[in-house]
Amino acid sequence: MDIVLSGIRSTGKLHLGNYFGALKNFVKMQHENRCFFFIADYHSLTTHPTPADLHGSVKQVFAEYLACGIDPEIATVFIQSDLPEVSELYLLLNMNAYVGELERTISFKDKVRLQPENVNAGLLTYPVLMAADIIIHKATKVPVGKDQEQNLEMTRKFAKRFNHMYKVDYFPEPTAYNFGETLVKIPGLDGSGKMGKSEGNAIYLTDDPTTIRKKVMKAITDSGPSKKNQEPSESIKNLFTIMEAVSEEETLNYFKDQYNNCTIRYGDFKKQLAEDTIRFTDPFRTKFEDIYSNSTYLRKLVTDGAEKARLSASQTLKDVREIMGFKAF
Ligand code: TYM
């Protein structure tokens, strides 16, 4: 049995990328493994949300991942900031993390480029906090999307370094996981890059049908194939990738054939994609509304989850302190 852990930042609503990158895998794994799922609300502070936004999105995301099928009876679901042990492990790991290696991570370099006015120390040490989240529960498998691959590499580095420095075999080395397949990257609707909250190119799981139709019909395309079996442009490839996730295989093949023999009409293609996305997200929307409106239920889950997660975290922290030399006289 593996220890599986995954998390999501509380920076707004969940989109299709979050679902196919992390949640879907986690839901599949929760029955056979010891599972933890949490909301990374500390990580979301790197973008400076207002207190009201922070509070609102933690509740939103918590209810959303329950609606996706994470079962709190089986998995331990909790909020990162409910575990003071994580902050302490983060502090301890920071002493053995080097500024040079943190500056070289792709996500840090991206942030420096995208938000030069807010290059805070939390962004630099983001992978250290993420490592603390993971190794505090001694997780071995971490269902995440492709964009988190390097953060998992850093986690392994910090775990290995700890074991090496203190001559112990204490932390396992966790891997980014997707059932032995390559990690998923769901693209956005704007013709380039991944679907993301800050990119403005996302379909959210709670979007209503009208919004989904509008977004998909506005998605970037091109002028159409001019010869048979032509390699599709980036924007068309992206729409096929989204279709592969939400539609039946038959539908996907039908439109791929149409593309290949130059008879595709992008209007019909997008209409089908919109309807399939609506069908796919529909059960989720209904469940979400039920769960979100039940504050008493959510409050109890958060309290129970924190208690269970702290049991596991406090044991690790106790061991780590002792290994490092923090002992009573
Ligand atoms: P966040 O909130 O950016 O993303 C949450 C999860 O969704 C996946 N994801 C995607 N997968 C495929 N295609 C996309 N377009 C796409 N967009 C997002 C991400 O890979 C991720 O799995 N650092 C994490 C939060 C975190 C965490 C952790 C995760 C903090 N500590 C410990 C796992 C373990 C993040 O940025 O999540």
Side-chain angles (χ1 to χ4, degrees):
M1 182 161 63
D2 275 295
I3 299 182
V4 177
L5 174 137
S6 199
I8 284 190
R9 276 175 305 148
S10 53
T11 39
K13 302 174 286 184
L14 300 188
H15 52 70
L16 290 178
N18 298 135
Y19 180 78
F20 289 105
L23 282 151
K24 185 178 170 205
N25 293 335
F26 186 91
V27 168
K28 275 210 260 176
M29 296 173 89
Q30 65 184 346
H31 299 278
E32 284 92 44
N33 300 283
R34 184 158 178 240
C35 286
F36 294 88
F37 202 97
F38 76 103
I39 297 180
D41 54 348
Y42 281 147
H43 276 110
S44 72
L45 292 178
T46 55
T47 54
H48 299 171
T50 64
D53 282 350
L54 178 75
H55 181 71
S57 51
V58 169
K59 186 179 171 199
Q60 165 91 17
V61 174
F62 202 89
E64 286 194 57
Y65 63 59
L66 296 174
C68 283
I70 292 184
D71 182 349
E73 298 283 326
I74 304 173
T76 300
V77 290
F78 63 98
I79 298 171
Q80 185 183 36
S81 62
D82 278 340
L83 264 64
E85 294 82 3
V86 167
S87 318
E88 188 172 343
L89 183 61
Y90 166 60
L91 180 147
L92 299 174
L93 291 177
N94 263 326
M95 304 303 168
N96 304 335
Y98 298 101
V99 172
E101 65 189 346
L102 295 171
E103 278 173 343
R104 281 192 298 276
T105 60
I106 299 165
S107 48
F108 181 70
K109 286 200 230 160
D110 279 353
K111 290 288 186 227
V112 171
R113 198 167 39 83
L114 293 171
Q115 51 179 71
E117 73 299 342
N118 178 21
V119 184
N120 58 67
L123 276 177
L124 183 68
T125 57
Y126 189 107
V128 187
L129 180 55
M130 191 158 155
D133 291 327
I134 297 169
I135 66 177
I136 203 154
H137 299 292
K138 295 193 167 174
T140 45
K141 286 187 177 150
V142 186
V144 284
K146 179 94 185 133
D147 60 323
Q148 298 298 314
E149 208 165 27
Q150 194 181 32
N151 282 336
L152 261 296
E153 211 177 287
M154 300 291 281
T155 300
R156 283 194 291 281
K157 199 186 256 188
F158 297 137
K160 206 155 50 179
R161 190 174 291 162
F162 180 91
N163 290 345
H164 184 72
M165 275 181 96
Y166 299 103
K167 299 185 175 53
V168 288
D169 185 17
Y170 187 71
F171 286 122
E173 289 176 39
T175 46
Y177 191 72
N178 183 18
F179 293 94
E181 291 174 26
T182 48
L183 300 179
V184 174
K185 177 181 151 190
I186 299 290
L189 295 171
D190 52 355
S192 65
K194 65 162 189 163
M195 186 175 284
K197 290 164 210 168
S198 33
E199 285 78 356
N201 62 7
I203 301 175
Y204 295 102
L205 298 174
T206 45
D207 276 346
D208 59 50
T210 312
T211 310
I212 293 178
R213 276 186 203 110
K214 247 191 229 153
K215 284 184 178 175
V216 175
M217 295 317 282
K218 273 205 315 214
I220 307 267
T221 52
D222 56 23
S223 53
S226 53
K227 57 179 189 309
K228 289 199 172 175
N229 299 317
Q230 184 180 316
E231 173 76 5
S233 63
E234 187 73 10
S235 56
I236 300 302
K237 260 196 218 157
N238 288 354
L239 295 183
F240 276 125
T241 306
I242 301 175
M243 184 171 255
E244 193 175 342
V246 298
S247 304
E248 301 290 337
E249 204 178 333
E250 253 179 15
T251 312
L252 176 71
N253 290 339
Y254 172 80
F255 283 101
K256 276 196 168 164
D257 283 348
Q258 286 214 328
Y259 183 87
N260 285 333
N261 60 33
C262 301
T263 53
I264 193 161
R265 288 158 57 146
Y266 287 149
D268 295 343
F269 175 45
K270 288 189 191 178
K271 236 186 240 162
Q272 182 72 44
L273 181 59
E275 293 317 308
D276 287 350
T277 308
I278 293 165
R279 191 181 37 79
F280 178 81
T281 50
D282 206 37
F284 170 83
R285 258 190 311 276
T286 321
K287 266 201 229 154
F288 168 76
E289 273 152 29
D290 273 359
I291 298 171
Y292 188 78
S293 58
N294 194 343
S295 292
T296 318
Y297 170 68
L298 285 174
R299 208 174 304 122
K300 176 160 174 18
L301 288 188
V302 169
T303 317
D304 291 354
E307 202 176 299
K308 271 205 267 177
R310 285 196 72 183
L311 270 182
S312 144
S314 57
Q315 183 57 53
T316 305
L317 195 64
K318 186 169 168 283
D319 295 343
V320 165
R321 288 178 61 98
E322 217 169 290
I323 291 169
M324 292 180 80
F326 295 100
K327 290 183 190 174
F329 292 124

